[in-house]
Amino acid sequence: MDSLRYKAAIVGASETTELGSIPDKTAFQLHVDASVNAINDCGIDKNEIDGIATTMSPAALAHYLGIVPKWIDNTQVGGTSFLVHVRHAAAAIASGLCETVLVAMAESGRNRVGEQTARIGDVASTPGGRRDSSFPGQFESIYGVAGPTTQFGMGVLRYMKETGLTHEQLASVPVAQRKWANKVPRAMYRDIITIEDVINSRIICYPFHLLECCLVTDGGGALIITSADRAKDFPTKPVYVIGTGESVESPIISQMYDMTTSAAFKTSSKKAFEEAGVTHDDVDHLMVYDAFAHLPIYGLEDLGFVKRGEAGSFIEEGNTSPGGKLPMNTNGGGLSYTHSGMYGMYAIQESVRQVRGEAAHQVDGVKTSFCQGVGGMFMAAGSLVFTNEEPHR
Amino acid sequence: MSSGYNKPIPVPTPESDVFWEKTKQHELWIQKCLNCNKPFFYPRMNCPNCLSDNLEWFKTTGLGTLYSYMINHRPVPGFEEDAPYAIAIVQLDEGPRMMTNIVGIENTPENLILDMKLKVVFDDVSDEIAIPKWEPV
């Protein structure tokens, strides 16, 4: 096995039936809902599924679905976990450990139905102070961090100073993505917005305004992955996995090697490009996990689509908007479509829809899509390259 | 010592106890590797550059610069009276970076200029713990 190029394909893909606010289902139920939808999408007999990858208990999900798998993956590196699961599934299939994998993800991120913990950032007050010996507890929590809104963008002012990125260019990220969401019925927010709207929305954590921060929703998604050879047996258009990558950097944001670039993005995406054997010009469609507005900026640069310092003007000039040369985050992204906490699955789903040619806001002629995920706060990365072009041409 | 301190309190571990013992004495100590001579933070038992365990703690100058920051408008419990407050990254003159709060100056974008010089100060939050913070020089 020299590479994972054309070894596996996504044949079934679906999100949860509902998306946004789902007060009547637990996160577990949403996993099942998404899994059943993905199974029905490709019409597979569930007993043919012999591998399960999920961040929840694989036993709980397998047992609920009446499956005794030959292969499991419980990798949990935040919101990019599902991109990593796809990579691991492709490797497992290629090496014969299993034949067909279900990757499932769901969260009750908004209503917290059946979730063990409070919403990220909702830290209970402890009279006399919460005592914490953990690594982030000793060196970050003590300074008043409140989850991703107060940490993820920590390097942005530094990035601005070093590259000249303007506040207006940062604001142009949600503006561009809303143009995509405008034609996506399942997107939570669809109304066109302007840079002024973004700048005038309330400050959550300077330099980030409300419209530069992701949504908080309920939902999930699931995938059925099998060997590329078997993909033609299904009624859906095969979405071949041709490039994959993964990496991790620092467990806490203050200890990134350089806070203006993601070492994990670079490592992961480089591997995926090399494996796929495609160039940046071959990429027709791009997803970059956007928990906050700076992520597509870091992504464009760390993935090598633009040179350092060019991403802000690239987006502001419309290159990633409808009609632009590099359509990006075409579902509206975490900033407009949905974000239940671990967005990576939704990014994959949109790549699959675009490669199949069935997206709500479809880009003409998509053959190859690049999907970039982030886990934690620049803690982890996963990269996938998909195509609808048949192998061995 | 502030009474009624409701912010999170760090609990030292075997790796970090020297760091917190020194902050209690209002000194900022970090480690360096005696094999490759590189200073580093956070406390570790092996050098992140060469994995040597031939390390030593040393007292820093307590001087640094403002590397980056955010200003939080939605305080966590215990920080209500501080908001909006900056959560910042200071780059020590010795090289390593650490998260901090900026004190002694109103936390506004106009006041907080990247690369401004800072010096460490210590907030005695209990009899056992002093938290390093930084203020403009």
Side-chain angles (χ1 to χ4, degrees):
Chain A
M1 187 172 71
D2 53 351
S3 95
L4 295 178
R5 188 170 184 268
Y6 278 117
K7 292 295 194 298
I10 292 174
V11 295
S14 180
E15 293 171 356
T16 45
T17 307
E18 294 177 273
L19 209 56
S21 180
I22 315 172
D24 63 340
K25 282 195 175 61
T26 64
F28 192 175
Q29 286 179 290
L30 294 173
H31 274 86
V32 175
D33 177 55
S35 298
V36 171
N37 287 348
I39 288 167
N40 291 340
D41 179 56
C42 60
I44 194 172
D45 179 343
K46 64 103 173 166
N47 291 315
E48 291 183 51
I49 296 169
D50 60 357
I52 286 187
T54 179
T55 54
M56 69 169 282
S57 158
L61 183 60
H63 193 261
Y64 200 108
L65 298 172
I67 294 168
V68 181
K70 293 173 185 154
W71 176 88
I72 55 169
D73 185 5
N74 199 207
T75 301
Q76 166 53 295
V77 286
T80 199
S81 298
F82 317 99
L83 287 90
V84 175
H85 291 165
V86 170
R87 183 175 205 234
H88 295 179
I93 290 165
S95 56
L97 300 181
C98 60
E99 291 185 357
T100 305
V101 172
L102 165 68
V103 180
M105 166 272 167
E107 293 165 300
S108 183
R110 188 180 188 87
N111 285 289
R112 312 302 301 173
V113 186
E115 296 279 2
Q116 298 295 314
T117 56
R119 188 184 293 187
I120 294 168
D122 288 350
V123 184
S125 179
T126 307
R130 183 168 48 90
R131 296 171 62 81
D132 192 343
S133 66
S134 75
F135 182 35
Q138 288 189 73
F139 300 113
E140 290 197 345
S141 304
I142 56 175
Y143 297 115
V145 298
T149 52
T150 59
Q151 292 168 285
F152 214 156
M154 192 60 71
V156 167
L157 290 181
R158 185 84 221 165
Y159 177 91
M160 286 177 161
K161 172 156 185 175
E162 292 187 6
T163 67
L165 178 80
T166 67
H167 291 275
E168 288 74 19
Q169 287 172 339
L170 184 65
S172 74
V173 174
V175 170
Q177 293 186 193
R178 191 63 67 81
K179 290 174 185 170
W180 289 108
N182 183 246
K183 292 183 183 172
V184 179
R186 274 165 69 89
M188 178 168 269
Y189 292 119
R190 296 183 292 275
D191 292 342
I192 294 296
I193 52 174
T194 65
I195 286 175
E196 290 69 35
D197 291 334
V198 178
I199 298 288
N200 290 330
S201 65
R202 74 173 188 274
I203 291 180
I204 299 296
C205 192
Y206 178 84
F208 286 82
H209 305 82
L210 177 67
L211 294 176
E212 290 160 332
C213 303
C214 69
L215 312 174
V216 181
T217 65
D218 306 322
L223 304 163
I224 305 291
I225 305 168
T226 193
S227 67
D229 291 342
R230 208 182 152 216
K232 293 182 198 63
D233 298 342
F234 294 91
T236 47
K237 186 173 188 173
V239 175
Y240 296 104
V241 178
I242 59 170
T244 65
E246 66 192 89
S247 190
V248 290
E249 187 181 344
S250 170
I252 60 175
I253 194 149
S254 59
Q255 297 306 320
M256 287 178 73
Y257 296 111
D258 175 343
M259 295 185 69
T260 69
T261 179
S262 164
F265 272 21
K266 285 180 172 171
T267 301
S268 174
S269 63
K270 182 169 184 286
K271 181 73 179 162
F273 269 115
E274 287 171 357
E275 186 170 77
V278 299
T279 68
H280 292 79
D281 287 341
D282 295 325
V283 174
D284 306 307
H285 171 254
L286 174 64
M287 296 298 291
V288 177
Y289 190 128
D290 59 320
F292 294 91
H294 65 306
L295 281 160
I297 292 171
Y298 279 51
L300 284 170
E301 296 186 7
D302 291 338
L303 272 54
F305 284 98
V306 298
K307 295 192 183 75
R308 178 163 170 87
E310 293 180 351
S313 57
F314 187 79
I315 293 169
E316 188 178 39
E317 289 162 6
N319 291 297
T320 62
S321 296
K325 65 182 178 187
L326 183 59
M328 177 173 69
N329 294 345
T330 51
N331 57 355
L335 299 175
S336 290
Y337 181 69
T338 206
H339 197 308
S340 56
M342 296 192 288
Y343 172 82
M345 174 58 79
Y346 306 105
I348 300 171
Q349 295 282 342
E350 177 65 8
S351 278
V352 169
R353 290 189 293 258
Q354 290 285 349
V355 169
R356 284 180 173 181
E358 59 185 35
H361 200 159
Q362 181 65 42
V363 176
D364 288 339
V366 173
K367 289 180 181 171
T368 302
S369 174
F370 195 107
C371 186
Q372 179 66 37
V374 69
M377 291 172 271
F378 289 125
M379 174 191 75
S383 309
L384 296 171
V385 188
F386 300 114
T387 190
N388 55 26
E389 292 201 284
E390 294 295 323
H392 314 303
R393 278 158 40 108
Chain B
M1 171 185 167
S2 353
S3 61
Y5 189 81
N6 291 322
K7 298 173 181 177
I9 295 174
V11 177
T13 65
E15 280 184 312
S16 67
D17 55 3
V18 173
F19 179 83
W20 292 113
E21 192 58 38
K22 294 297 183 183
T23 62
K24 199 163 68 177
Q25 299 163 21
H26 289 199
E27 294 177 357
L28 188 71
W29 288 55
I30 63 173
Q31 291 164 289
K32 74 175 173 191
C33 177
L34 295 176
N35 181 47
C36 69
N37 224 16
K38 286 192 164 65
F40 61 89
F41 176 82
Y42 47 93
R44 281 173 264 205
M45 64 179 194
N46 295 85
C47 167
N49 184 54
C50 71
L51 295 186
S52 167
D53 60 2
N54 189 17
L55 312 175
E56 87 173 0
W57 286 90
F58 71 99
K59 183 182 175 182
T60 69
T61 58
L63 298 173
T65 52
L66 181 59
Y67 178 80
S68 200
Y69 66 92
M70 300 179 87
I71 300 176
N72 186 22
H73 288 245
R74 300 194 310 167
V76 290
F79 286 80
E80 293 87 347
E81 292 176 8
D82 299 346
Y85 58 92
I87 301 163
I89 305 294
V90 57
Q91 176 140 27
L92 277 56
D93 281 1
E94 290 79 9
R97 292 191 287 264
M98 56 179 69
M99 188 174 276
T100 194
N101 294 133
I102 304 297
V103 297
I105 186 172
E106 192 184 355
N107 285 184
T108 63
E110 293 71 29
N111 284 345
L112 299 175
I113 308 301
L114 294 202
D115 298 320
M116 66 193 292
K117 292 188 187 307
L118 302 172
K119 64 178 180 186
V120 71
V121 294
F122 296 88
D123 185 3
D124 295 312
V125 304
S126 74
D127 290 341
E128 294 82 33
I129 292 290
I131 293 178
K133 296 184 177 178
W134 294 72
E135 67 177 23
V137 170

